Amino acid sequence: MIIKSQFFWRSYLSYAAVVFFCTLLLSAWYASQLVDDELAQLEDVLREDAIMMSQAALRPLRTLNHPDLDALASSFFNATGQRLSIIDGNGVVLADSHENPGQMDNHLQRPEMLDAISRGSGRALRFSQTLNEQFLYYAVPVVADSGQLLGFVRTALPVARLESTRRDIYLWMLQHAAIVAFFGLFLAFYLAARQAMAVERITRVAEVIAAGDFEKRLPVDNVLGLKKLAEVVNQMARSSAQRVSVITSDRNRLAAIFAGMVEGVIDVDQNQRILHINEAAAKLLGVGEKSCLNKPVWQEIRSREINQALEEAIRAHTVVKTQMRLSRQSDELVVDIYVASLSDDSGNAIGAIIVLNDITDLKNLERVRTDFVANASHELKTPITAIRGLSETLISDAQVDRATMLRFVERIHAQSLRLSHLIADLMTISRLESAQNDGEFAPLSMNKLVQRALQAAESAREAKHQSLEVDLPDEKIQVYGDNQALSQLVDNLIDNAIKYTPEHGRLKVSLSANREHMELSVEDSGIGISPQYQQRVFERFYRVDKARSQSLGGTGLGLSIVKNIAERHGGLVTLESHVGSGSRFTFSMPLAPS
């Protein structure tokens, strides 16, 4: 609504202020002119009457006939209502229509008398000390035919009459000024409303254009001089539409290219300022995708390899390949860097493209594969070599006594068991990794799985005199999974805790659930694991203390199996450990649907 427009009120109040002050000034000036005219008319009356009375007072003044002078003053007052004073040449009042002359002061120094002496007539508007009232005086000298100054005649009227006239004039002017102001304010309202509507229309169209609708146009009409503004807004819309079309096309093309790349991409200009950076690069380098734009690469990306490669590529107009390592809180990233110089049609450098490829997973897979082959070969070779050596000894020496033979056979049996466990664990990992569906999944009770695992491990725990604290809930915790796999997961966690906890140590197994997930916690007071090894203990054949692990009969695959089983069931295994104070393994997975 136009009444709510701030522009309307600013325009209207401006017009209203102009109308108000102009009306006020003109009314005051005109009223002042009317009052001055009224005063001039009153002064003319007094002057004419004073001149007339100066002729009438000539003879009584020559003879100083006081009765005639008194009679002249009284008759003049009765005829005109004006005050008449007859004064001799020394300023002594001889007759007055309102007061006793004998009680009146000398009037020679009165303003009107001084003007009459010096200029032949005198006028004054002042307060009368005799009558305590404001009067307009007019005095003229009385001169004989011989030129002798006989005295003065002074006429006067009270200004109260003039004040009444002035009030009437002001009231009349106020009425007419109010009428003029009303029509002026109405005209100001009309003009301000028209201008505000035109500006509002321009504003709405400009807002629509600013919002992206460049097809909107303003009607070109000359509303209070706004025609040129409408033409400029329309031209701006046409120009903006063309520019935005080009910019949008380029932006969409770059955005599509960048978004479709899993590699990090950075576009820089010839001054090495970042023009574009995709989400992959920003995430990889830990910088803000928006905040780093138009800033130097060296300021936002603190990488010596990237900066050196960028310098060389721009300087030599070539492609530079290198590699860098980025440290993260839990691991280290390996990143391949490709920097290609960009040139214009004239061959001048206009910037460069930096491509970052995170090959950390590839490097880790290569390392895991290499380690797996080496470890598997070593782990298999050890029992096989032992079995072969012992069996060859028995075969080559036919005179071996029975006790020695039994000892050798027991060792061969132990190594064969170790080899069997190792092969069984390898087959388990292969089975878990090759599983493509959850056809063996079914609802099962985690309470029963944990209880069976504790019973199976009881003899091993008691052999080491370890205390056990069990916290199992009364309510049934049901999950959906592979019974054999989950049983092996729980067995491995408990068996691992028993193996790496010294005699008389402490174990704690607790099971809990919330609305969506269950959580199994196995805590021990064993040797603990340093922070730098905590992520690697889930790798195949990785042992923190190889000698200790082998002496305890471990294959190095137990925790790797646990991790595979957890991931297959949509769960997670975490580790909290401190060297010398034990470890806590926690397995969590979703509950079975109700």
Side-chain angles (χ1 to χ4, degrees):
M1 190 175 182
I2 199 65
I3 299 298
K4 297 181 179 179
S5 170
Q6 294 184 358
F7 179 83
F8 165 76
W9 284 109
R10 285 198 296 267
S11 300
Y12 176 66
L13 292 177
S14 299
Y15 289 142
V18 172
V19 169
F20 176 76
F21 284 110
C22 289
T23 304
L24 182 64
L25 292 175
L26 289 175
S27 299
W29 175 81
Y30 190 60
S32 177
Q33 291 296 316
L34 292 178
V35 171
D36 291 343
D37 290 345
E38 185 70 19
L39 186 61
Q41 291 178 7
L42 185 60
E43 183 179 335
D44 291 342
V45 172
L46 291 176
R47 183 178 63 253
E48 291 175 359
D49 290 345
I51 293 172
M52 180 185 67
M53 294 308 298
S54 67
Q55 298 296 325
L58 180 61
R59 185 172 183 179
L61 278 174
R62 184 182 296 118
T63 60
L64 292 177
N65 189 338
H66 290 279
D68 289 345
L69 292 174
D70 292 335
L72 183 61
S74 297
S75 61
F76 178 78
F77 171 73
N78 293 330
T80 62
Q82 301 178 20
R83 179 182 178 184
L84 178 64
S85 301
I86 302 174
I87 306 165
D88 65 10
N90 296 320
V92 178
V93 180
L94 301 176
D96 190 270
S97 60
H98 284 63
E99 286 293 328
N100 184 2
Q103 296 179 355
M104 297 177 65
D105 297 333
N106 190 291
H107 280 41
L108 191 61
Q109 299 300 319
R110 302 296 166 89
E112 65 275 12
M113 298 297 292
L114 294 175
D115 288 344
I117 294 172
S118 61
R119 295 201 298 261
S121 64
R123 168 194 175 280
L125 180 63
R126 60 182 179 80
F127 186 79
S128 172
Q129 298 295 334
T130 304
L131 299 177
N132 293 322
E133 191 176 356
Q134 189 86 358
F135 274 83
L136 176 63
Y137 295 96
Y138 200 92
V140 297
V142 180
V143 183
D145 295 338
S146 60
Q148 180 184 1
L149 178 63
L150 300 177
F152 300 90
V153 172
R154 187 185 67 176
T155 57
L157 275 176
V159 185
R161 173 183 169 185
L162 182 62
E163 292 295 331
S164 176
T165 303
R166 181 180 298 176
R167 285 194 298 271
D168 293 340
I169 292 173
Y170 285 158
L171 181 60
W172 180 82
M173 283 304 306
L174 181 62
Q175 294 172 349
H176 286 75
I179 296 173
V180 172
F182 173 78
F183 285 104
L185 291 176
F186 179 79
L187 178 62
F189 184 91
Y190 172 74
L191 293 176
R194 283 200 65 192
Q195 194 169 27
M197 285 189 292
V199 171
E200 184 71 18
R201 185 168 61 230
I202 293 175
T203 302
R204 286 197 299 268
V205 173
E207 288 175 346
V208 172
I209 294 173
D213 185 4
F214 299 106
E215 300 302 322
K216 195 72 174 178
R217 296 292 183 269
L218 276 171
V220 181
D221 50 3
N222 192 18
V223 179
L224 299 177
L226 297 178
K227 178 181 179 180
K228 184 64 177 178
L229 178 59
E231 293 176 348
V232 170
V233 171
N234 291 337
Q235 181 60 35
M236 178 190 68
R238 286 189 289 270
S239 301
S240 298
Q242 296 174 357
R243 294 191 183 96
V244 170
S245 177
V246 175
I247 293 172
T248 302
S249 177
D250 293 343
R251 183 192 62 189
N252 291 341
R253 183 180 62 180
L254 288 173
I257 294 173
F258 282 10
M261 299 181 66
V262 295
E263 296 85 358
V265 180
I266 306 173
D267 179 19
V268 301
D269 61 13
Q270 66 273 19
N271 297 319
Q272 299 187 17
R273 291 184 177 273
I274 300 174
L275 300 180
H276 302 283
I277 181 170
N278 67 351
E279 182 181 358
K283 185 178 180 180
L284 183 65
L285 298 172
V287 299
E289 190 174 351
K290 302 295 184 182
S291 61
C292 67
L293 296 180
N294 299 317
K295 294 181 180 179
V297 173
W298 55 264
Q299 177 180 327
E300 295 296 315
I301 302 173
R302 304 301 175 87
S303 171
R304 179 175 53 84
E305 293 84 357
I306 292 178
N307 293 324
Q308 288 181 349
L310 181 59
E311 288 280 355
E312 184 178 352
I314 294 178
R315 177 180 54 80
H317 297 275
T318 185
V319 176
V320 178
K321 300 179 181 179
T322 185
Q323 195 175 87
M324 69 175 179
R325 294 182 179 271
L326 296 176
S327 297
R328 291 292 184 262
Q329 293 181 353
S330 58
D331 56 0
E332 185 179 58
L333 303 183
V334 182
V335 181
D336 276 343
I337 304 172
Y338 300 86
V339 183
S341 175
L342 300 178
S343 303
D344 58 14
D345 295 338
S346 302
N348 298 320
I350 59 173
I353 289 291
I354 304 172
V355 180
L356 306 175
N357 188 16
D358 184 3
I359 60 172
T360 305
D361 292 339
L362 180 60
K363 288 290 185 181
N364 288 337
L365 288 175
E366 291 178 354
R367 178 180 56 80
V368 170
R369 183 183 62 183
T370 302
D371 292 347
F372 175 75
V373 172
N375 291 330
S377 300
H378 176 74
E379 295 293 338
L380 290 171
K381 182 179 179 181
T382 300
I384 291 174
T385 301
I387 293 173
R388 179 180 177 183
L390 292 171
S391 61
E392 287 179 350
T393 302
L394 292 176
I395 293 172
S396 62
D397 189 356
Q399 303 299 323
V400 176
D401 58 274
R402 180 172 179 79
T404 303
M405 182 183 295
L406 288 175
R407 188 170 70 252
F408 277 26
V409 171
E410 288 176 357
R411 292 177 63 183
I412 290 173
H413 180 68
Q415 293 298 327
S416 65
L417 289 177
R418 181 183 176 189
L419 185 61
S420 175
H421 291 159
L422 183 60
I423 293 174
D425 286 345
L426 288 173
M427 292 181 66
T428 299
I429 290 179
S430 177
R431 178 176 63 85
L432 292 173
E433 290 183 347
S434 62
Q436 300 297 322
N437 55 62
D438 56 359
E440 300 177 359
F441 281 24
L444 53 93
S445 171
M446 282 300 298
N447 309 62
K448 293 182 179 180
L449 285 181
V450 174
Q451 289 172 351
R452 285 203 302 265
L454 290 173
Q455 291 174 0
E458 185 174 0
S459 59
R461 179 183 60 80
E462 290 180 348
K464 299 182 71 172
H465 306 287
Q466 296 168 342
S467 64
L468 174 64
E469 179 183 350
V470 180
D471 183 11
L472 298 180
D474 295 332
E475 64 274 8
K476 181 180 179 182
I477 296 179
Q478 191 170 23
V479 297
Y480 187 73
D482 185 339
N483 183 72
Q484 179 182 354
L486 290 177
S487 295
Q488 187 170 5
L489 180 147
V490 178
D491 289 340
N492 284 0
L493 289 179
I494 296 176
D495 181 65
N496 203 60
I498 294 173
K499 285 180 179 179
Y500 293 97
T501 301
E503 292 187 359
H504 305 286
R506 177 182 55 82
L507 303 178
K508 180 179 179 181
V509 178
S510 59
L511 181 67
S512 61
N514 54 27
R515 297 179 61 182
E516 297 179 355
H517 292 80
M518 64 116 264
E519 186 176 278
L520 171 65
S521 173
V522 179
E523 184 177 353
D524 62 63
S525 60
I527 60 176
I529 304 172
S530 299
Q532 64 267 30
Y533 302 128
Q534 291 182 13
Q535 290 299 319
R536 298 201 62 187
V537 294
F538 295 100
E539 296 179 7
R540 301 168 188 172
F541 296 113
Y542 186 83
R543 300 185 182 94
V544 178
D545 188 345
K546 294 185 178 181
R548 182 181 181 91
S549 298
Q550 290 179 353
S551 66
L552 294 173
T555 63
L557 296 173
L559 291 179
S560 180
I561 293 174
V562 168
K563 181 180 179 182
N564 276 274
I565 295 173
E567 291 177 350
R568 185 186 175 196
H569 288 78
L572 179 68
V573 179
T574 59
L575 168 61
E576 298 177 15
S577 182
H578 300 280
V579 177
S581 60
S583 304
R584 178 184 179 186
F585 288 87
T586 303
F587 165 61
S588 63
M589 68 171 290
L591 295 173
S594 57

